[in-house]
Amino acid sequence: MTTILGISGSLRKASFNTGLLRAAAGMMPEGATLEFGSIEGVPLYNGDDEAANGTPEAVARLRAQLEAADGLLLSTPEYNNGIPGVFKNAIDWMASGKGADAFKGKPVAVIGASPMAFGTVLAQDAWWPVLRTLGTRPWYEGRLMVGKAREKFDETGELKDADTQERLASFVEGFVAAI
């Protein structure tokens, strides 16, 4: 069984990016599963706090999930043409100290949804140097940027657009096959 850890970079209840991951979970090819990780509860990174108090529970849980996973799927919003601070902070926490070892050689793919027309192209591009620095094995063969997300998700954050569903299914299939 191939296990993919999916992490959404949004904390919103009806998040487009969390909805994109839920849809991806339902489209995983046979022999693969998507496990959800959450950035909720991850505090702002502070090395002094880490030294004094150790790793916060939410971070330890994400690290354990990453270590157990065969691949990582990030579903990123785009805020002001870049990576959301809350998402980058969670990855920074996960990668602090010995946590960085869990990223080394890990296959990773990035998807994202945004209300803007161009989707999350700039946020996705901004993730690549971070993921390269962490020593991951980025999957560049596929790209999924969902623009005009308000038209493609319902009010609860569920993906309703058939074309996007097809593109997502193809993306997930390709990523899992590359692992």
Side-chain angles (χ1 to χ4, degrees), residues 43-126:
L44 291 175
Y45 181 76
N46 180 324
D48 292 338
D49 287 344
E50 183 179 25
N53 304 310
T55 303
E57 185 179 322
V59 175
R61 186 171 39 254
L62 282 168
R63 281 183 183 164
Q65 287 178 296
L66 180 60
E67 288 171 3
D70 300 300
L72 175 63
L73 179 60
L74 301 179
S75 188
T76 188
E78 182 170 298
Y79 298 163
N80 298 312
N81 291 337
I83 298 171
V86 68
F87 202 6
K88 176 68 167 59
N89 176 70
I91 298 299
D92 289 342
W93 255 116
M94 290 172 69
S96 68
K98 293 187 180 196
D101 293 343
F103 285 95
K104 296 212 182 316
K106 188 76 64 175
V108 63
V110 182
I111 58 177
S114 168
M116 306 309 290
F118 295 110
T120 57
V121 65
L122 296 174
Q124 288 189 35
D125 285 348

